Amino acid sequence: MGKAIAYLILVVVAVFFVRQTGLLDGMFSRGNLEERARFWEETVARETPNGTSRETVDALAGRHGMSLECFHSSVAPPVADCIADDPDSKGGTSGHPVALQLRFTFRSEQLEKFETNPHVLQ
């Protein structure tokens, strides 16, 4: 009986230490990446459909506490690929946190494509 109690205590302490490392965070808390992706798909489809100006998309991002980081190409017509991390999304583990990345593609300053992807934070 004494060995069983010792093993039980050892297992409880080991689980506590593994839990503290953050390795099990993904098992206990899946995050909200899927819910936030659905939210953004609906919001962008409703407020900024394809063909919307870049200023309108900037205003939408600003209302949600984000600013777009854009990369421009030199092709004609000009293409801009803009990204932002959703500040209200969370996922991954404490050692490898994940956020939802929003990607807007503009052609001639008009929204052409929108997509969301999980993104490991640095």
Side-chain angles (χ1 to χ4, degrees):
M1 182 72 172
K3 278 186 174 180
I5 292 175
Y7 285 130
L8 179 63
I9 290 172
L10 182 64
V11 167
V12 168
V13 169
V15 167
F16 173 75
F17 282 122
V18 170
R19 174 89 168 131
Q20 291 302 103
T21 63
L23 295 174
L24 302 177
D25 289 351
M27 289 176 50
F28 295 114
S29 173
R30 296 286 178 183
N32 66 350
L33 297 178
E34 292 86 12
E35 293 85 12
R36 293 301 293 174
R38 270 194 307 279
F39 167 78
W40 279 109
E41 294 288 343
E42 293 168 1
T43 301
V44 169
R46 183 179 59 247
E47 295 184 28
T48 58
N50 285 352
T52 303
S53 70
R54 184 166 160 204
E55 291 80 23
T56 305
V57 175
D58 278 332
L60 173 68
R63 282 197 308 269
H64 292 278
M66 299 178 292
S67 62
L68 297 177
E69 182 181 350
C70 296
F71 305 94
H72 301 276
S73 72
S74 59
V75 298
V79 176
D81 191 29
C82 300
I83 58 174
D85 288 336
D86 180 6
D88 295 328
S89 66
K90 61 180 182 280
T93 64
S94 60
H96 299 284
V98 176
L100 187 68
Q101 185 179 68
L102 311 177
R103 182 178 299 269
F104 299 90
T105 304
F106 298 94
R107 187 175 299 275
S108 299
E109 297 296 316
Q110 303 296 313
L111 181 63
E112 181 177 89
K113 182 176 158 188
F114 169 74
E115 58 187 11
T116 61
N117 298 304
H119 169 67
V120 177
L121 299 173
Q122 310 306 7

